[in-house]
Amino acid sequence: KQEVTQIPAALSVPEGENLVLNCSFTDSAIYNLQWFRQDPGKGLTSLLLIQSSQREQTSGRLNASLDKSSGRSTLYIAASQPGDSATYLCAPGKAAGNKLTFGGGTRVLVKP
Amino acid sequence: DTEVTQTPKHLVMGMTNKKSLKCEQHMGHRAMYWYKQKAKKPPELMFVYSYEKLSINESVPSRFSPECPNSSLLNLHLHALQPEDSALYLCASSQAGQIDTQYFGPGTRLTVL
């Protein structure tokens, strides 16, 4: 059974600092890994999807890396802004049914 | 347009009621999902439909009954729920592939009294 851990559970930084969010998973037989953000009481917004054959994916200030063999992914957010405050969830996906297993999330607070 | 819509936004029901949650997407996606999210917990997969057929049921109690009438619509029928079923119910959709981004709706906040 896939187990996904996100460290740290919570993070508070001043505006402008870079953010580093870590995700580890126990079953490396994945087809992809998605990063999402969730605002309180809201649905999930997809940020990045990395295919298992990729090492890195970038979108604007966001960069996600994937080391499938060691079961790790890292999300980097450059030059953080107060609007980046949210919970960030990683979810590796298995082939059958594109089944995602979510980590517990990292709650981020960016202070102005 | 990457929008998944869900209705209603909020639902309060008694343990003897029957209600339904609705999810709709018009992105041409052929896979649709139901997730349950308890407070301060990550989402947990309940069901997956692929090409309107149920492909995954994560051992969900029968008081939850999914239905996929067509490729754009997904329902979740609720009957005889328990207070512990109170949660945010999220719908998602994707292309029916192994490496496709899942797009989530805003969720339905369900309270069972």
Side-chain angles (χ1 to χ4, degrees):
Chain A
K1 178 187 173 185
Q2 180 73 282
E3 293 185 3
V4 185
T5 303
Q6 290 188 244
I7 294 172
L11 188 58
S12 180
V13 299
E15 182 177 1
E17 272 201 13
N18 297 331
L19 292 165
V20 181
L21 310 180
N22 297 299
C23 170
S24 61
F25 47 94
T26 55
D27 184 354
S28 61
I30 63 170
Y31 267 71
N32 60 38
L33 185 142
Q34 277 193 253
W35 281 95
F36 297 88
R37 72 172 275 170
Q38 186 173 30
D39 295 289
K42 306 291 186 183
L44 278 66
T45 301
S46 178
L47 299 174
L48 290 167
L49 179 144
I50 310 178
Q51 300 175 21
S52 60
S53 59
Q54 295 178 309
R55 299 281 293 183
E56 201 171 312
Q57 188 70 259
T58 297
S59 176
R61 294 185 294 113
L62 306 180
N63 175 278
S65 65
L66 175 64
D67 185 341
K68 183 181 159 183
S69 60
S70 67
R72 293 179 185 173
S73 178
T74 302
L75 178 67
Y76 303 89
I77 303 177
S80 61
Q81 304 169 358
D84 295 328
S85 299
T87 295
Y88 291 82
L89 298 155
C90 74
K94 299 286 282 185
N98 195 13
K99 179 179 172 181
L100 298 181
T101 302
F102 284 85
T106 295
R107 192 170 66 254
V108 171
L109 176 63
V110 181
K111 299 178 181 177
Chain B
D1 183 10
T2 56
E3 187 178 24
V4 176
T5 60
Q6 290 188 243
T7 54
K9 290 184 180 179
H10 301 276
L11 179 62
V12 179
M13 60 186 291
M15 289 190 285
T16 59
N17 293 156
K18 287 185 181 181
K19 297 286 184 183
S20 296
L21 309 184
K22 178 181 173 181
C23 172
E24 202 160 3
Q25 57 86 15
H26 295 286
M27 295 179 277
H29 290 169
R30 302 309 299 269
M32 297 186 78
Y33 312 78
W34 279 116
Y35 290 84
K36 174 181 178 180
Q37 187 176 25
K38 301 281 282 183
K40 300 192 185 302
K41 296 290 186 182
E44 294 181 341
L45 182 67
M46 300 175 71
F47 303 103
V48 180
Y49 273 84
S50 180
Y51 292 92
E52 294 114 69
K53 290 190 179 351
L54 183 65
S55 60
I56 294 179
N57 176 343
E58 291 287 276
S59 302
V60 178
S62 60
R63 58 186 183 268
F64 296 91
S65 176
E67 179 195 20
C68 190
N70 58 59
S71 60
S72 300
L73 188 56
L74 185 67
N75 298 319
L76 186 63
H77 303 297
L78 314 172
H79 174 56
L81 294 192
Q82 304 297 311
E84 58 264 29
D85 296 321
S86 298
L88 181 67
Y89 287 84
L90 295 163
C91 173
S93 71
S94 73
Q95 299 287 354
Q98 296 170 349
I99 56 171
D100 296 313
T101 300
Q102 290 190 26
Y103 296 92
F104 281 75
T108 293
R109 175 74 60 189
L110 175 67
T111 302
V112 182
L113 301 176

